Coordinates of all heavy atoms in Angstrom, one line a residue:
M1 N -20.5 0.7 5.4 CA -19.9 1.3 4.2 C -19.0 0.3 3.6 O -18.3 -0.4 4.3 CB -19.2 2.5 4.7 CG -18.4 3.3 3.7 SD -19.5 4.5 3.2 CE -18.7 5.0 1.7
T2 N -19.0 0.2 2.3 CA -18.2 -0.7 1.6 C -17.5 0.0 0.5 O -17.9 1.0 -0.1 CB -19.0 -1.9 1.1 OG1 -18.1 -2.8 0.5 CG2 -20.1 -1.5 0.1
S3 N -16.3 -0.6 0.1 CA -15.6 0.0 -1.0 C -15.9 -0.7 -2.3 O -15.4 -0.3 -3.4 CB -14.1 -0.1 -0.7 OG -13.7 -1.5 -0.6
Q4 N -16.7 -1.8 -2.3 CA -17.0 -2.5 -3.5 C -18.3 -1.9 -4.1 O -19.3 -1.7 -3.4 CB -17.3 -4.0 -3.2 CG -16.1 -4.7 -2.7 CD -15.8 -4.5 -1.3 OE1 -16.6 -4.2 -0.5 NE2 -14.5 -4.8 -0.9
P5 N -18.3 -1.7 -5.4 CA -19.5 -1.2 -6.1 C -20.6 -2.3 -6.1 O -20.2 -3.5 -6.1 CB -19.0 -0.8 -7.5 CG -17.8 -1.6 -7.7 CD -17.2 -1.8 -6.4
S6 N -21.8 -1.9 -6.1 CA -22.9 -2.9 -6.2 C -22.9 -3.5 -7.6 O -22.4 -2.9 -8.6 CB -24.2 -2.2 -5.9 OG -24.6 -1.4 -7.0
M7 N -23.5 -4.7 -7.6 CA -23.6 -5.4 -8.9 C -24.4 -4.5 -9.9 O -24.1 -4.4 -11.1 CB -24.2 -6.8 -8.8 CG -24.2 -7.6 -10.0 SD -24.5 -9.3 -9.9 CE -26.2 -9.3 -9.3
G8 N -25.5 -3.9 -9.4 CA -26.3 -3.1 -10.2 C -25.6 -1.9 -10.8 O -25.8 -1.6 -12.0
A9 N -24.7 -1.3 -10.0 CA -23.8 -0.2 -10.5 C -22.9 -0.7 -11.7 O -22.8 0.0 -12.7 CB -23.0 0.4 -9.4
L10 N -22.4 -1.9 -11.5 CA -21.5 -2.4 -12.6 C -22.3 -2.7 -13.8 O -21.9 -2.4 -14.9 CB -20.8 -3.7 -12.1 CG -19.7 -3.4 -11.0 CD1 -19.2 -4.8 -10.5 CD2 -18.6 -2.6 -11.6
I11 N -23.5 -3.3 -13.6 CA -24.3 -3.6 -14.8 C -24.7 -2.4 -15.5 O -24.6 -2.3 -16.7 CB -25.5 -4.5 -14.3 CG1 -25.1 -5.8 -13.9 CG2 -26.6 -4.6 -15.5 CD1 -26.2 -6.6 -13.1
G12 N -25.2 -1.4 -14.7 CA -25.6 -0.1 -15.3 C -24.5 0.6 -16.0 O -24.7 1.2 -17.1
A13 N -23.3 0.6 -15.5 CA -22.2 1.3 -16.0 C -21.7 0.7 -17.3 O -21.1 1.4 -18.2 CB -21.0 1.4 -15.0
T14 N -21.8 -0.6 -17.4 CA -21.3 -1.3 -18.6 C -22.3 -1.6 -19.7 O -22.0 -2.1 -20.8 CB -20.6 -2.7 -18.2 OG1 -21.6 -3.5 -17.5 CG2 -19.5 -2.4 -17.2
T15 N -23.6 -1.3 -19.4 CA -24.7 -1.6 -20.4 C -24.4 -0.8 -21.7 O -24.1 0.4 -21.6 CB -26.0 -1.2 -19.8 OG1 -26.3 -2.0 -18.7 CG2 -27.1 -1.4 -20.9
G16 N -24.4 -1.5 -22.8 CA -24.2 -0.9 -24.1 C -22.8 -0.6 -24.4 O -22.5 0.0 -25.4
T17 N -21.9 -1.2 -23.6 CA -20.4 -1.0 -23.9 C -19.9 -2.4 -24.3 O -20.6 -3.4 -24.3 CB -19.6 -0.5 -22.7 OG1 -19.6 -1.5 -21.7 CG2 -20.3 0.8 -22.1
S18 N -18.6 -2.4 -24.6 CA -18.0 -3.7 -25.0 C -17.9 -4.6 -23.7 O -17.6 -5.8 -23.9 CB -16.6 -3.5 -25.5 OG -15.7 -2.8 -24.6
L19 N -18.1 -4.0 -22.6 CA -18.0 -4.8 -21.3 C -19.4 -5.2 -20.8 O -19.6 -5.7 -19.7 CB -17.3 -4.0 -20.2 CG -15.8 -3.7 -20.6 CD1 -15.3 -2.8 -19.5 CD2 -15.0 -4.9 -20.7
D20 N -20.4 -5.0 -21.6 CA -21.8 -5.3 -21.2 C -21.9 -6.7 -20.7 O -21.4 -7.6 -21.3 CB -22.7 -5.1 -22.5 CG -24.2 -5.1 -22.1 OD1 -24.6 -5.8 -21.2 OD2 -24.9 -4.3 -22.7
T21 N -22.5 -6.8 -19.5 CA -22.6 -8.1 -18.9 C -23.7 -9.0 -19.5 O -23.7 -10.2 -19.2 CB -23.0 -7.9 -17.4 OG1 -24.2 -7.3 -17.2 CG2 -21.9 -7.1 -16.7
G22 N -24.7 -8.4 -20.1 CA -25.8 -9.1 -20.7 C -26.9 -9.4 -19.6 O -27.9 -10.1 -19.8
I23 N -26.7 -8.9 -18.4 CA -27.6 -9.0 -17.3 C -28.5 -7.7 -17.3 O -27.9 -6.6 -17.3 CB -26.9 -9.2 -16.0 CG1 -26.0 -10.4 -16.0 CG2 -27.9 -9.3 -14.8 CD1 -25.1 -10.6 -14.8
S24 N -29.8 -7.9 -17.1 CA -30.6 -6.7 -17.1 C -30.7 -6.2 -15.6 O -30.7 -6.9 -14.7 CB -32.1 -7.0 -17.6 OG -32.8 -7.8 -16.6
L25 N -30.9 -4.9 -15.5 CA -31.0 -4.3 -14.2 C -32.3 -4.8 -13.5 O -32.3 -5.0 -12.3 CB -31.0 -2.8 -14.2 CG -29.7 -2.1 -14.5 CD1 -29.8 -0.6 -14.8 CD2 -28.7 -2.4 -13.4
K26 N -33.3 -5.0 -14.3 CA -34.6 -5.6 -13.7 C -34.3 -6.9 -13.0 O -34.9 -7.2 -12.0 CB -35.6 -5.7 -14.8 CG -36.5 -4.5 -14.9 CD -37.7 -4.8 -15.8 CE -38.6 -3.7 -15.8 NZ -39.8 -3.9 -16.7
S27 N -33.5 -7.8 -13.6 CA -33.3 -9.1 -13.1 C -32.5 -9.1 -11.8 O -32.6 -10.1 -11.0 CB -32.5 -10.0 -14.1 OG -31.2 -9.5 -14.3
V28 N -31.8 -8.0 -11.4 CA -31.1 -8.0 -10.2 C -31.9 -7.3 -9.1 O -31.5 -7.3 -7.9 CB -29.7 -7.4 -10.3 CG1 -28.8 -8.2 -11.2 CG2 -29.7 -6.0 -10.7
Q29 N -33.0 -6.7 -9.4 CA -33.8 -6.0 -8.4 C -34.2 -6.9 -7.2 O -34.1 -6.4 -6.1 CB -35.1 -5.4 -9.1 CG -35.9 -4.5 -8.2 CD -35.0 -3.3 -7.7 OE1 -34.2 -2.8 -8.4 NE2 -35.3 -3.0 -6.4
P30 N -34.6 -8.1 -7.4 CA -34.9 -9.0 -6.2 C -33.7 -9.1 -5.3 O -33.8 -9.2 -4.1 CB -35.3 -10.3 -6.8 CG -35.8 -10.0 -8.2 CD -34.9 -8.8 -8.7
L31 N -32.5 -9.2 -5.9 CA -31.3 -9.2 -5.1 C -31.1 -8.0 -4.3 O -30.7 -8.0 -3.1 CB -30.0 -9.5 -5.9 CG -30.0 -10.9 -6.6 CD1 -28.8 -10.9 -7.6 CD2 -29.9 -12.0 -5.6
N32 N -31.3 -6.8 -4.9 CA -31.2 -5.5 -4.2 C -32.1 -5.5 -3.0 O -31.8 -5.0 -1.9 CB -31.5 -4.4 -5.2 CG -30.4 -4.2 -6.2 OD1 -29.3 -4.7 -6.0 ND2 -30.8 -3.6 -7.3
E33 N -33.4 -5.9 -3.2 CA -34.4 -5.9 -2.2 C -34.0 -6.8 -1.0 O -34.1 -6.5 0.1 CB -35.7 -6.3 -2.7 CG -36.3 -5.2 -3.7 CD -37.5 -5.7 -4.4 OE1 -38.0 -6.8 -4.2 OE2 -38.0 -4.9 -5.3
Y34 N -33.4 -8.0 -1.4 CA -33.0 -8.9 -0.3 C -31.9 -8.3 0.5 O -31.9 -8.3 1.7 CB -32.5 -10.2 -1.0 CG -31.8 -11.1 0.0 CD1 -32.5 -11.9 0.9 CD2 -30.4 -11.2 0.0 CE1 -31.8 -12.7 1.8 CE2 -29.7 -12.0 0.9 CZ -30.4 -12.8 1.8 OH -29.8 -13.6 2.7
W35 N -30.9 -7.8 -0.1 CA -29.7 -7.2 0.6 C -30.1 -6.0 1.4 O -29.5 -5.7 2.5 CB -28.5 -6.9 -0.3 CG -27.9 -8.2 -0.7 CD1 -27.9 -8.8 -2.0 CD2 -27.2 -9.2 0.1 NE1 -27.2 -10.0 -1.9 CE2 -26.8 -10.2 -0.7 CE3 -26.9 -9.2 1.5 CZ2 -26.1 -11.3 -0.1 CZ3 -26.2 -10.3 2.0 CH2 -25.8 -11.3 1.2
E36 N -31.1 -5.2 0.9 CA -31.6 -4.1 1.7 C -32.2 -4.6 3.0 O -31.9 -4.0 4.1 CB -32.6 -3.3 0.9 CG -32.0 -2.4 -0.2 CD -33.0 -1.8 -1.1 OE1 -34.2 -1.8 -0.8 OE2 -32.6 -1.2 -2.1
Q37 N -32.9 -5.7 3.0 CA -33.5 -6.2 4.2 C -32.4 -6.8 5.1 O -32.5 -6.6 6.3 CB -34.5 -7.3 3.9 CG -35.7 -6.8 3.2 CD -36.7 -7.9 2.8 OE1 -36.4 -9.0 3.0 NE2 -37.8 -7.5 2.1
V38 N -31.4 -7.5 4.6 CA -30.4 -8.0 5.4 C -29.6 -6.9 6.1 O -29.2 -7.0 7.2 CB -29.4 -8.9 4.5 CG1 -28.1 -9.3 5.3 CG2 -30.1 -10.2 4.0
R39 N -29.3 -5.8 5.3 CA -28.5 -4.7 5.9 C -29.2 -4.1 7.1 O -28.6 -3.7 8.0 CB -28.3 -3.7 4.8 CG -27.4 -2.6 5.3 CD -26.5 -2.0 4.3 NE -25.6 -1.1 4.9 CZ -24.8 -0.3 4.3 NH1 -24.9 -0.2 3.0 NH2 -24.0 0.5 4.9
Q40 N -30.6 -4.1 7.1 CA -31.3 -3.5 8.2 C -31.0 -4.3 9.5 O -31.0 -3.7 10.6 CB -32.8 -3.5 7.9 CG -33.2 -2.5 6.8 CD -34.6 -2.5 6.5 OE1 -35.4 -3.2 7.1 NE2 -35.0 -1.8 5.4
M41 N -30.8 -5.6 9.4 CA -30.5 -6.4 10.5 C -29.2 -6.0 11.2 O -29.0 -6.2 12.4 CB -30.5 -7.9 10.2 CG -31.8 -8.4 9.8 SD -31.9 -10.2 9.7 CE -30.8 -10.5 8.3
Y42 N -28.3 -5.5 10.3 CA -26.9 -5.1 10.8 C -26.8 -3.6 11.1 O -25.8 -3.2 11.5 CB -25.9 -5.5 9.8 CG -25.7 -7.0 9.7 CD1 -26.4 -7.8 8.8 CD2 -24.8 -7.7 10.6 CE1 -26.3 -9.1 8.7 CE2 -24.7 -9.1 10.5 CZ -25.4 -9.8 9.6 OH -25.3 -11.1 9.5
A43 N -27.9 -2.9 11.0 CA -27.9 -1.5 11.3 C -27.3 -1.1 12.7 O -26.6 -0.1 12.7 CB -29.3 -0.9 11.1
P44 N -27.6 -1.9 13.7 CA -27.0 -1.5 15.0 C -25.5 -1.5 15.0 O -24.8 -0.9 15.9 CB -27.6 -2.6 16.0 CG -28.8 -3.1 15.3 CD -28.5 -3.0 13.8
F45 N -24.9 -2.2 14.1 CA -23.4 -2.3 14.0 C -22.8 -1.4 13.0 O -21.6 -1.4 12.9 CB -23.0 -3.8 13.7 CG -23.7 -4.8 14.6 CD1 -24.8 -5.5 14.2 CD2 -23.2 -4.9 15.9 CE1 -25.4 -6.5 15.0 CE2 -23.8 -5.9 16.8 CZ -24.9 -6.6 16.3
E46 N -23.6 -0.6 12.3 CA -23.1 0.3 11.3 C -22.3 1.4 12.0 O -22.6 1.8 13.2 CB -24.2 0.9 10.5 CG -24.9 0.0 9.6 CD -24.0 -0.3 8.3 OE1 -23.1 0.5 8.0 OE2 -24.3 -1.4 7.7
S47 N -21.3 2.0 11.4 CA -20.5 3.0 11.9 C -21.1 4.4 11.9 O -20.7 5.3 12.7 CB -19.2 3.1 11.2 OG -19.4 3.6 9.9
G48 N -22.1 4.6 11.1 CA -22.7 5.9 10.9 C -22.1 6.7 9.8 O -22.6 7.7 9.4
Q49 N -21.0 6.2 9.2 CA -20.3 6.9 8.1 C -21.1 6.5 6.9 O -21.2 5.4 6.5 CB -18.9 6.4 8.0 CG -18.1 7.1 6.9 CD -16.7 6.6 6.9 OE1 -16.3 5.7 7.5 NE2 -15.9 7.3 6.0
L50 N -21.7 7.5 6.2 CA -22.5 7.3 5.1 C -21.8 7.5 3.7 O -22.4 7.2 2.7 CB -23.8 8.2 5.2 CG -24.6 8.0 6.4 CD1 -25.8 8.9 6.4 CD2 -25.1 6.5 6.5
S51 N -20.6 8.0 3.8 CA -19.9 8.2 2.5 C -18.4 8.0 2.8 O -18.0 8.0 4.0 CB -20.1 9.6 2.0 OG -19.6 10.6 2.9
G52 N -17.6 7.9 1.7 CA -16.2 7.8 1.9 C -15.6 9.0 2.5 O -16.2 10.1 2.4
S53 N -14.4 8.9 3.0 CA -13.7 10.0 3.6 C -12.2 10.0 3.3 O -11.6 9.0 3.3 CB -13.9 10.0 5.1 OG -13.2 11.0 5.7
A54 N -11.7 11.2 2.9 CA -10.3 11.3 2.6 C -9.5 11.2 3.9 O -8.3 11.1 3.9 CB -10.0 12.6 1.9
D55 N -10.2 11.3 5.1 CA -9.5 11.2 6.3 C -8.6 9.9 6.5 O -7.6 9.9 7.1 CB -10.4 11.2 7.5 CG -11.1 12.6 7.7 OD1 -10.6 13.5 7.2 OD2 -12.0 12.6 8.5
V56 N -9.1 8.8 5.8 CA -8.3 7.6 5.9 C -6.9 7.8 5.3 O -6.0 7.1 5.7 CB -9.0 6.4 5.2 CG1 -10.3 6.1 5.9 CG2 -9.3 6.6 3.7
Y57 N -6.8 8.7 4.3 CA -5.5 9.0 3.7 C -4.7 10.0 4.6 O -3.5 9.9 4.8 CB -5.6 9.5 2.3 CG -6.4 8.6 1.4 CD1 -7.7 8.8 1.0 CD2 -5.7 7.4 1.0 CE1 -8.3 7.9 0.2 CE2 -6.4 6.5 0.2 CZ -7.7 6.7 -0.2 OH -8.4 5.8 -0.9
L58 N -5.4 11.1 5.0 CA -4.8 12.1 5.8 C -4.2 11.6 7.1 O -3.1 12.0 7.6 CB -5.7 13.2 6.1 CG -6.2 14.0 4.9 CD1 -7.3 15.0 5.3 CD2 -5.1 14.8 4.2
N59 N -5.0 10.7 7.8 CA -4.5 10.1 9.1 C -3.9 8.8 9.0 O -3.5 8.2 10.0 CB -5.7 10.1 10.0 CG -6.3 11.5 10.2 OD1 -5.6 12.4 10.7 ND2 -7.6 11.7 9.9
E60 N -3.8 8.3 7.7 CA -3.1 7.0 7.5 C -3.8 5.8 8.3 O -3.1 5.0 8.9 CB -1.6 7.0 7.7 CG -1.0 8.0 6.7 CD 0.5 8.1 6.9 OE1 1.1 7.3 7.7 OE2 1.1 9.0 6.2
I61 N -5.1 5.8 8.4 CA -5.9 4.8 9.1 C -6.6 4.0 8.0 O -7.4 4.5 7.3 CB -6.9 5.5 10.0 CG1 -6.3 6.4 11.0 CG2 -7.7 4.4 10.8 CD1 -7.3 7.3 11.8
P62 N -6.4 2.7 8.0 CA -7.1 1.9 7.0 C -8.6 2.0 7.3 O -9.1 2.2 8.4 CB -6.6 0.4 7.3 CG -5.3 0.6 7.9 CD -5.4 1.9 8.7
G63 N -9.4 1.9 6.2 CA -10.9 2.1 6.3 C -11.6 1.3 7.4 O -12.4 1.8 8.1
G64 N -11.3 0.0 7.5 CA -11.9 -0.8 8.6 C -11.5 -0.3 10.0 O -12.4 -0.2 10.8
Q65 N -10.3 0.1 10.2 CA -9.9 0.6 11.5 C -10.5 2.0 11.7 O -10.9 2.3 12.8 CB -8.4 0.7 11.6 CG -7.7 -0.7 11.6 CD -6.2 -0.6 11.7 OE1 -5.6 0.5 11.8 NE2 -5.5 -1.7 11.6
Y66 N -10.7 2.7 10.7 CA -11.3 4.1 10.8 C -12.7 4.0 11.3 O -13.1 4.6 12.2 CB -11.3 4.7 9.4 CG -11.8 6.2 9.4 CD1 -10.9 7.2 9.6 CD2 -13.1 6.5 9.1 CE1 -11.3 8.5 9.5 CE2 -13.5 7.8 9.0 CZ -12.7 8.8 9.2 OH -13.1 10.1 9.2
T67 N -13.5 3.1 10.7 CA -14.9 2.9 11.1 C -15.0 2.3 12.5 O -15.9 2.6 13.3 CB -15.7 2.1 10.1 OG1 -15.1 0.8 9.9 CG2 -15.9 2.9 8.8
N68 N -14.1 1.4 12.8 CA -14.0 0.8 14.2 C -13.7 1.9 15.2 O -14.4 2.0 16.3 CB -13.0 -0.3 14.3 CG -13.4 -1.6 13.6 OD1 -14.6 -1.8 13.3 ND2 -12.4 -2.4 13.3
L69 N -12.8 2.8 14.9 CA -12.4 3.8 15.8 C -13.6 4.8 16.0 O -13.9 5.3 17.1 CB -11.2 4.6 15.3 CG -10.7 5.7 16.2 CD1 -10.3 5.3 17.6 CD2 -9.5 6.4 15.5
M70 N -14.3 5.1 14.9 CA -15.5 5.9 14.9 C -16.5 5.3 15.8 O -17.1 6.0 16.7 CB -16.1 6.1 13.5 CG -17.2 7.0 13.4 SD -17.9 7.1 11.7 CE -16.7 8.1 10.9
F71 N -16.8 4.0 15.7 CA -17.8 3.4 16.6 C -17.3 3.4 18.0 O -18.1 3.7 18.9 CB -17.9 1.9 16.1 CG -18.9 1.1 17.0 CD1 -20.2 1.3 16.8 CD2 -18.4 0.2 17.9 CE1 -21.1 0.5 17.6 CE2 -19.3 -0.5 18.7 CZ -20.7 -0.4 18.5
Q72 N -16.1 3.2 18.3 CA -15.6 3.2 19.7 C -15.7 4.6 20.3 O -16.0 4.8 21.5 CB -14.1 2.7 19.8 CG -14.0 1.2 19.5 CD -12.6 0.8 19.2 OE1 -11.7 1.6 19.2 NE2 -12.4 -0.5 19.0
T73 N -15.4 5.6 19.5 CA -15.5 7.0 19.9 C -16.9 7.3 20.3 O -17.2 8.0 21.3 CB -15.0 7.9 18.8 OG1 -13.7 7.6 18.4 CG2 -15.1 9.4 19.2
R74 N -17.9 6.9 19.5 CA -19.3 7.1 19.8 C -19.7 6.4 21.1 O -20.4 6.9 21.9 CB -20.2 6.6 18.7 CG -21.6 7.0 18.9 CD -22.6 6.6 17.7 NE -22.1 7.0 16.4 CZ -21.7 6.1 15.5 NH1 -21.8 4.8 15.7 NH2 -21.3 6.4 14.3
Q75 N -19.2 5.1 21.3 CA -19.5 4.4 22.5 C -19.0 5.1 23.8 O -19.6 4.9 24.8 CB -19.0 3.0 22.4 CG -19.6 2.1 21.3 CD -21.1 1.9 21.6 OE1 -21.5 1.6 22.6 NE2 -21.9 2.2 20.6
L76 N -17.9 5.8 23.6 CA -17.3 6.5 24.8 C -17.9 7.9 25.0 O -17.5 8.6 25.9 CB -15.8 6.6 24.6 CG -15.0 5.2 24.7 CD1 -13.6 5.4 24.2 CD2 -15.1 4.7 26.1
G77 N -18.8 8.3 24.1 CA -19.4 9.6 24.2 C -18.5 10.7 23.7 O -18.7 11.8 24.2
L78 N -17.6 10.4 22.9 CA -16.6 11.4 22.4 C -16.8 11.8 21.0 O -15.9 12.4 20.4 CB -15.2 10.8 22.6 CG -14.7 10.4 24.0 CD1 -13.4 9.7 23.9 CD2 -14.7 11.7 24.8
E79 N -18.0 11.6 20.4 CA -18.2 11.9 19.0 C -18.1 13.4 18.7 O -17.7 13.8 17.6 CB -19.6 11.4 18.5 CG -20.8 11.9 19.2 CD -21.3 11.0 20.3 OE1 -20.5 10.6 21.2 OE2 -22.5 10.7 20.3
G80 N -18.3 14.2 19.7 CA -18.1 15.7 19.5 C -16.6 16.0 19.4 O -16.3 17.2 19.0
R81 N -15.7 15.1 19.8 CA -14.3 15.3 19.7 C -13.6 14.4 18.6 O -12.4 14.2 18.7 CB -13.7 15.1 21.1 CG -14.2 16.0 22.1 CD -13.7 15.8 23.5 NE -12.3 15.9 23.5 CZ -11.5 15.5 24.6 NH1 -12.1 15.0 25.6 NH2 -10.2 15.6 24.6
W82 N -14.4 14.0 17.7 CA -14.0 13.1 16.6 C -12.7 13.6 15.9 O -11.8 12.9 15.7 CB -15.1 12.8 15.6 CG -14.7 12.0 14.5 CD1 -14.8 12.3 13.1 CD2 -14.1 10.7 14.5 NE1 -14.4 11.3 12.3 CE2 -13.9 10.3 13.1 CE3 -13.7 9.8 15.5 CZ2 -13.3 9.0 12.8 CZ3 -13.1 8.6 15.1 CH2 -13.0 8.2 13.8
S83 N -12.7 14.9 15.6 CA -11.5 15.4 14.9 C -10.2 15.3 15.7 O -9.1 15.1 15.2 CB -11.7 16.9 14.5 OG -11.9 17.7 15.6
Q84 N -10.3 15.4 17.0 CA -9.2 15.2 17.9 C -8.8 13.7 18.1 O -7.6 13.4 18.1 CB -9.5 15.8 19.3 CG -9.6 17.3 19.3 CD -10.1 17.8 20.7 OE1 -11.1 17.3 21.2 NE2 -9.3 18.7 21.2
V85 N -9.8 12.9 18.2 CA -9.6 11.4 18.4 C -8.8 10.8 17.2 O -7.9 10.1 17.4 CB -10.9 10.7 18.5 CG1 -10.7 9.2 18.5 CG2 -11.6 11.1 19.8
K86 N -9.2 11.2 16.0 CA -8.6 10.6 14.8 C -7.2 11.1 14.4 O -6.5 10.6 13.6 CB -9.5 10.7 13.6 CG -9.7 12.0 13.1 CD -10.8 12.0 12.0 CE -11.1 13.5 11.7 NZ -12.1 13.5 10.7
T87 N -6.7 12.1 15.1 CA -5.4 12.7 14.8 C -4.3 12.2 15.7 O -4.5 11.7 16.8 CB -5.4 14.2 14.8 OG1 -5.8 14.7 16.0 CG2 -6.2 14.7 13.7

């Protein structure tokens, strides 16, 4: 999970505006395909968190530490007690 928007999202959001990048979405498609393949290599290290969570604010845990704690909790077999672990 990342907090940075993809380049395609920025290009799409700014197309036709005063901030238009002049880059076509079609031209970045090969980059998207490349990074999708690269990301698959790192899948074993993913935290399993597929979307952002307000828990990082409620529990005052920085995002990177939050996902590390999530991974460690899973490794210890405590994922069923995640709500207790993070408080």
